[in-house]
Amino acid sequence: MKKNWLKGTVAAIALIASFGTANAGPNDGGSMVVTYKDDVSTLDPAIGYDWQNWSMIKSLFDSLLDYKPGTTELTTDLAESYTISDDGLTYTFKLRNGVKFHNGREMTADDVKYSLDRVTNPKTQSPGAGFFASVKGFDDASDGSGHLSGVTVIDNNTVKIELSRPDATFLHVLAINFASIVPKEAVEKWGEDFGKHPVGTGAYSLGEWILGQRLVFKKNADYYHAGIPHLDEIIFEVGQEPLVALLRLQNGEVDIAGDGIPPAKFLEVSKDPKYADNIVEGSQLHTGYISLNVKMKPFDDVKVRRAVNMAINKDRIIRMINGRAVVANQPLPPLMPGYDPAYKGFAFDQAAAKALLAEAGHADGFTTELYVANTDPQPRIAQAIQQDLAAIGIKAEIKSLAQSNVIAAGGEDDQAPMIWSGGMAWIADFPDPSNFYGPILGCSGAVQGGWNWSWYCNPELDKMAIEADSMTDPADAAKREAAWKKIFTSIQDEAPWVPIFNEQRFTIRSERLDGPDGIFVDPVHIPVHYDTVFVKDGM
């Protein structure tokens, strides 16, 4: 799911640069109410991996690196500074002095070592363990026979991390939630319940959690970043239907509708001048797609997959979501380095699709299944896809299931021939093309329980990806980007996906909230950078 340009790739992109605030400076104090339909599964940074808890975890925990609010620009966080060896294999981090966990203990380099060992220990069952594969000792750590031998404590404020191979993405890895620093004593005290009793160094600490009702975050008065957070508390109310949440926001009872503007209300609300200053739009590192399981017939035939690509009317689907996206023709979104603006992909042409299907031996079409999450508007989008497929002779039965069941089916190689990813579509964990490859299109993700639902695996492209990620020299940035262009256009030529759209994000906030627009559609602290929100004067 969730981002920046690294040393040795491309210049940082500030996705949002608008700072249209009414105040000369941020106010301190007050609180805000944020609503979500679903309860939070966990606040353990080694475990949590969904868009809802992602920014919550970022407000409770910190990592060695982070991103400047509202942008994809890397910056130091718990690390005060760092150096990289000439061969790109050794990173040495100097930690900030005096940083304290919420339990009052000062953080040290031992905590960094413990946290990275923990996330890669198979007992933790972290979905993010694979991000650390380039660290020396990863194989021993991941099979439980050892630990990350490449992470060495030099002194209380210095930690050295050695890699087994150059990895141009490594600085980004140290900024994602899985690299958050946790205190050993709290983890051992709570065990598997640490996710319900989180202790970090973040801007907020957990004050209360009543399952199914609310979570309350309290301001960390000892936070090491001067001047933040601004709010005294954040109240997350869960179990709130999006339509109800929007009505409550309009009535002044809610400050942020966390699930966004409901599709059925989007046009009405977005065109109402009353809310013109309260809706913030931002781009995302996102692609919504249909996966085609290359291990299941007839999608093992590239001609069939290409025919499906040509059969789908993407413009119609975008109209169904009120134009809140742009048409996608390749896996990477336009904002991602490696996106190829010259690549045309497969144009919408149902006659050509039908001819290609006949060429593949399916002149009369075939029957298949299309899996989809059962929350609006996903079933409606699936019906549009179903109609387009029927036009070329493919009869697709829609399997509308709970999101968790769709994900589970995609993680098996013989269950879901087609999946519409809406509601589960990929949002980059960090803004580098490698994150759109390994987990969802590379061989490492084509495993039981993985996120490569097409089960596409091309060893040649895997090799090219490793070579691209070994280009850590800033002088090789253009060469590395060209390599990723070649990888992703080659993938799309083989059509394991039907890229549908790149979605825009819209956040609606109450009149009383303020801050730079970018923090309300933050590309990393998804969906909102809670640490930097503040309340207007007198509100």
Side-chain angles (χ1 to χ4, degrees):
M1 12 142 332
K2 293 56 188 146
K3 308 167 182 83
N4 171 289
W5 318 136
L6 46 135
K7 191 177 176 77
T9 359
V10 200
I13 291 179
L15 296 183
I16 307 291
S18 169
F19 280 75
T21 67
N23 299 319
N27 297 309
D28 288 334
S31 65
M32 71 173 174
V33 175
V34 182
T35 62
Y36 285 105
K37 177 178 181 291
D38 297 321
D39 205 348
V40 180
S41 56
T42 180
L43 291 172
D44 184 340
I47 305 297
Y49 201 21
D50 63 59
W51 68 273
Q52 180 179 330
N53 65 18
W54 194 257
S55 58
M56 291 184 183
I57 288 171
K58 281 193 172 296
S59 286
L60 296 172
F61 296 89
D62 297 299
S63 305
L64 294 176
L65 302 176
D66 197 5
Y67 300 89
K68 291 183 178 179
T71 79
T72 57
E73 184 180 349
L74 268 175
T75 186
T76 54
D77 197 8
L78 290 175
E80 189 172 62
S81 62
Y82 62 90
T83 59
I84 307 173
S85 63
D86 291 341
D87 62 7
L89 293 176
T90 302
Y91 294 69
T92 305
F93 296 88
K94 283 289 183 183
L95 306 182
R96 296 181 188 272
N97 286 310
V99 175
K100 293 181 179 179
F101 288 110
H102 299 148
N103 62 10
R105 179 173 71 75
E106 191 166 321
M107 184 208 69
T108 71
D110 287 318
D111 297 303
V112 176
K113 167 70 174 169
Y114 169 77
S115 300
L116 299 185
D117 281 341
R118 175 179 182 252
V119 77
T120 51
N121 187 322
K123 291 181 179 178
T124 305
Q125 297 184 323
S126 172
F131 286 116
F132 302 88
S134 62
V135 180
K136 276 187 178 179
F138 174 78
D139 289 342
D140 290 338
S142 60
D143 68 16
S145 64
H147 57 86
L148 293 178
S149 57
V151 182
T152 306
V153 173
I154 306 300
D155 57 44
N156 273 355
N157 288 88
T158 311
V159 63
K160 180 175 69 175
I161 304 178
E162 298 173 275
L163 307 185
S164 57
R165 56 176 169 82
D167 182 0
T169 71
F170 187 61
L171 291 178
H172 291 292
V173 169
L174 295 182
I176 60 177
N177 287 5
F178 301 118
S180 298
I181 309 307
V182 300
K184 180 179 181 180
E185 66 274 17
V187 174
E188 291 186 343
K189 174 182 177 181
W190 294 107
E192 293 183 359
D193 285 334
F194 179 67
K196 293 289 191 293
H197 302 274
V199 177
T201 60
Y204 291 94
S205 63
L206 179 64
E208 178 184 60
W209 187 348
I210 301 176
L211 295 179
Q213 296 184 39
R214 67 178 178 274
L215 300 88
V216 180
F217 284 13
K218 295 291 187 180
K219 179 176 183 175
N220 178 4
D222 292 326
Y223 196 45
Y224 59 93
H225 281 303
I228 57 174
H230 303 301
L231 299 171
D232 290 329
E233 69 175 13
I234 305 173
I235 302 166
F236 297 97
E237 296 185 359
V238 298
Q240 296 284 308
E241 289 295 331
L243 282 169
V244 175
L246 176 63
L247 180 61
R248 293 185 62 209
L249 186 145
Q250 293 169 322
N251 290 338
E253 302 168 17
V254 165
D255 295 299
I256 292 176
D259 293 300
I261 304 169
K265 287 285 188 179
F266 181 79
L267 287 179
E268 174 190 330
V269 174
S270 63
K271 292 183 181 301
D272 189 333
K274 182 166 57 175
Y275 302 109
D277 295 331
N278 303 111
I279 297 174
V280 184
E281 177 182 357
S283 297
Q284 299 187 82
L285 298 170
H286 162 284
T287 301
Y289 57 93
I290 304 167
S291 60
L292 306 176
N293 189 330
V294 302
K295 286 195 170 187
M296 297 181 71
K297 290 184 177 297
F299 299 115
D300 57 339
D301 187 335
V302 67
K303 290 181 180 179
V304 172
R305 301 196 299 268
R306 289 172 177 169
V308 172
N309 266 268
M310 291 187 286
I312 307 302
N313 187 339
K314 301 173 185 180
D315 288 313
R316 178 169 69 138
I317 292 173
I318 290 174
R319 288 196 296 271
M320 293 176 68
I321 59 169
N322 303 310
R324 292 184 294 172
V326 296
V327 167
N329 67 359
Q330 58 193 283
L332 285 183
L335 284 173
M336 186 72 83
Y339 175 84
D340 188 348
Y343 183 74
K344 300 302 182 186
F346 299 100
F348 173 54
D349 187 337
Q350 290 187 331
K354 195 165 186 177
L356 188 57
L357 207 59
E359 191 179 320
H362 299 282
D364 297 325
F366 58 86
T367 300
T368 188
E369 294 176 335
L370 173 62
Y371 282 66
V372 60
N374 60 7
T375 53
D376 188 65
Q378 311 315 333
R380 290 190 290 115
I381 292 174
Q383 288 171 359
I385 295 168
Q386 182 187 49
Q387 291 166 10
D388 287 340
L389 293 175
I392 65 167
I394 299 174
K395 303 174 187 66
E397 178 188 352
I398 294 175
K399 306 283 281 188
S400 182
L401 305 171
Q403 178 174 292
S404 59
N405 293 334
V406 178
I407 292 171
E412 301 290 338
D413 65 3
D414 60 353
Q415 288 194 25
M418 304 176 71
I419 297 176
W420 162 238
S421 72
M424 306 166 288
W426 197 253
I427 301 176
D429 299 285
F430 51 85
D432 186 84
S434 65
N435 188 237
F436 253 80
Y437 179 75
I440 51 177
L441 284 164
C443 297
S444 63
V447 295
Q448 187 175 28
W451 283 77
N452 184 346
W453 298 335
S454 68
W455 290 84
Y456 174 81
C457 172
N458 186 324
E460 262 319 295
L461 294 183
D462 259 25
K463 182 181 177 183
M464 288 175 62
I466 291 172
E467 289 172 355
D469 281 345
S470 296
M471 300 177 192
T472 58
D473 188 333
D476 290 334
K479 182 179 177 183
R480 182 174 184 264
E481 185 171 352
W484 277 115
K485 281 184 181 179
K486 177 63 176 173
I487 290 168
F488 281 104
T489 55
S490 296
I491 289 171
Q492 191 53 34
D493 285 344
E494 295 193 20
W497 277 15
V498 184
I500 300 295
F501 56 59
N502 307 116
E503 193 172 8
Q504 294 286 94
R505 181 183 301 125
F506 295 82
T507 296
I508 184 166
R509 61 186 179 186
S510 70
E511 179 64 31
R512 60 192 293 272
L513 294 188
D514 211 339
D517 279 356
I519 67 174
F520 293 98
V521 284
D522 195 287
V524 180
H525 290 239
I526 298 169
V528 175
H529 197 304
Y530 299 120
D531 300 2
T532 48
V533 177
F534 59 94
V535 175
K536 293 178 183 177
D537 280 331
M539 300 187 78

